[in-house]
Every structure is written in structure tokens, then in C-alpha cells.
Amino acid sequence: MDLKDFEKEIGYEFKNKELLKTALKHISYAHEHKQESNEKLEFLGDSILEFITSKFLYNHYINLREGEMTKVRSSVVCEESLYKIASKHGFNNYLYLGKGEQGSDGRNKTAILADSVEAVIAAIYLDSDLEHAEKFIIDNLREAIDFSTKNVGMKDYKTVLQEKLQVHGTVKIEYVLIEESGPSHRKTFVSEVKCDGKVLAQGTGYSKKASEMEAAKKALEVLK
């Protein structure tokens, strides 16, 4: 696990290598080795990510209204998008995980990978400046932002799923919160969507609403 390869992959070379290591340390590893985890960096990275995305939308999509920009940002700054970034750059090969998480395939868990991306964003910012952090964010999210702005007027996944399931008559659609975990400032929620008591799919998100939306999206993919 050579961090030089990771730096090449993300397109940024750290002056402070320890900062990068901290960004990749899950709390399970930090507890076992009595070291600092990436949670504080994750907290900072989340704010930087929202700000940079908001700034980019404001400067490059002048025809979008405030409500539309909010919808685009919400669809882009989400666990799924961050997970895709982590997968693209092979974050799972460089994470420091405790024995428990390694044993439960933590290296491939969506929430852990998404959190690590936010931590790395903060680490880049602290190691250099906002400009470098912005480059990493926009390089990795530009395509998703462009797609979302073109589809901002579309109905949300829960509405589309409801219409699809009820096309032949009324059915009972439920969203059930089945798991809640993580620190108070960054909780992760897992919800499942049911139709007439049958589970269709599960979704994960940083809010109950986001997890329900992700569950609806996955249910639509299954129903295709």
C-alpha cells in the first residue's frame, strides 16, 4: 500500500504525508492504535464540498434558480457520488481499518468510502489551499453536476416509484428506517422501501430522507 500511488491517482502530492494518512484512518483503526481518526477531517471536508459545489453552480449555471441549485447540489453532494469517486480512485486499497471492519468487508462499505473522500478533500485543503481542494472536487464532480443540471426538473425517485407501483391500482408503500449509526455530526441512515409488505430495496444516506430516496432509486432499478 504505497501512498505515492494514491497521490498519483488523485492528482495531488502531499507535503504533509501524515495528514494524508490521517484522512485515510477509519475510527476502527484509530481506536485500536490510539491514533486520530479521519472524523474531524470528514466534518471539515463536508463543508468544503458543499461550498465549492455551491460556488461552481452559482458561477457556471446562471440560469438556475435558487431552488434548482439546491436540488442539484443535493443530488451531487451525496453518499453515492462520493462512493463513485472513491471507487474510481481505488480508495479501498489505501484505507486504514480496524480488524472488525476488515473482517466485515469495511473496505467496500459505501459509507466508509464516502466519508474518506470528504476527509481527503479537507486534507488537501489543509495541506495547500482551497484552490487545490476545488480542483479535486470539480474534476471529480463536473460530469455529475452537468447531468444533474440537465435533469433538475425531473420528478424525484420516491414520486416516480409511487407512480410506477400504483399504475394498476392502489398499493401500500412504506419507508422503514432500519439502521442509524455514526457520530452525531455525521450520522448514516439505512432505510428500506416496502410495497404491500414486500421489501423492494434498501438505501443509505446522511439523512433519513436521503436514505429513503436512495432506496426508491434502487427499487426502480430492480423493477426495470
Side-chain angles (χ1 to χ4, degrees):
M1 188 174 73
D2 190 343
L3 291 182
K4 287 183 179 179
D5 293 334
F6 182 72
E7 289 175 316
K8 289 178 183 177
E9 181 60 42
I10 65 173
Y12 179 80
E13 184 176 350
F14 279 80
K15 297 182 282 291
N16 182 353
K17 307 298 183 184
E18 290 303 313
L19 191 58
L20 172 57
K21 288 181 180 179
T22 300
L24 296 170
K25 287 179 184 176
H26 186 255
I27 191 169
S28 60
Y29 180 95
H31 277 169
E32 286 183 11
H33 296 82
K34 294 180 171 54
Q35 297 177 10
E36 183 181 358
S37 76
N38 64 2
E39 285 189 331
K40 286 177 67 177
L41 286 172
E42 172 204 332
F43 172 77
L44 177 59
D46 176 53
S47 298
I48 294 171
L49 181 60
E50 285 224 356
F51 168 68
I52 293 301
T53 306
S54 299
K55 175 186 168 187
F56 187 79
L57 288 170
Y58 181 85
N59 288 332
H60 293 83
Y61 296 90
I62 57 176
N63 293 324
L64 289 182
R65 297 186 296 273
E66 184 270 339
E68 292 173 328
M69 287 193 291
T70 299
K71 286 182 180 179
V72 170
R73 186 181 63 192
S74 295
S75 69
V76 172
V77 181
C78 65
E79 189 173 73
E80 182 184 3
S81 291
L82 296 177
Y83 172 74
K84 286 179 180 177
I85 293 173
S87 299
K88 174 184 176 183
H89 295 296
F91 273 53
N92 60 335
N93 296 318
Y94 302 94
L95 293 176
Y96 296 90
L97 300 175
K99 293 178 182 177
E101 282 295 348
Q102 290 203 55
S104 61
D105 198 31
R107 202 167 290 281
N108 294 305
K109 286 183 179 177
T110 302
I112 290 177
L113 288 167
D115 290 346
S116 68
V117 173
E118 291 181 330
V120 166
I121 287 171
I124 292 173
Y125 164 69
L126 293 173
D127 191 65
S128 55
D129 50 36
L130 195 61
E131 184 178 344
H132 284 85
E134 182 172 6
K135 183 179 185 306
F136 174 81
I137 292 168
I138 300 305
D139 282 353
N140 284 284
L141 286 182
R142 186 187 295 272
E143 187 176 329
I145 291 172
D146 187 51
F147 175 82
S148 186
T149 55
K150 290 176 180 176
N151 295 278
V152 68
M154 293 177 65
K155 298 172 183 176
D156 65 57
Y157 294 118
K158 290 177 70 173
T159 301
V160 175
L161 179 62
Q162 180 177 335
E163 292 175 349
K164 187 176 184 69
L165 292 173
Q166 294 184 340
V167 68
H168 296 302
T170 302
V171 294
K172 184 180 180 182
I173 303 170
E174 298 177 273
Y175 289 89
V176 182
L177 179 66
I178 59 173
E179 187 180 327
E180 184 177 332
S181 61
S184 58
H185 74 272
R186 197 59 165 160
K187 283 188 176 295
T188 297
F189 299 84
V190 180
S191 294
E192 61 184 18
V193 57
K194 297 180 179 181
C195 179
D196 286 339
K198 179 184 177 182
V199 177
L200 298 179
Q202 289 185 2
T204 304
Y206 286 133
S207 68
K208 186 171 178 288
K209 181 179 178 181
S211 68
E212 291 176 354
M213 196 69 74
E214 181 66 13
K217 181 183 177 185
K218 289 184 176 179
L220 285 166
E221 292 172 354
V222 171
L223 291 172
K224 283 179 182 177

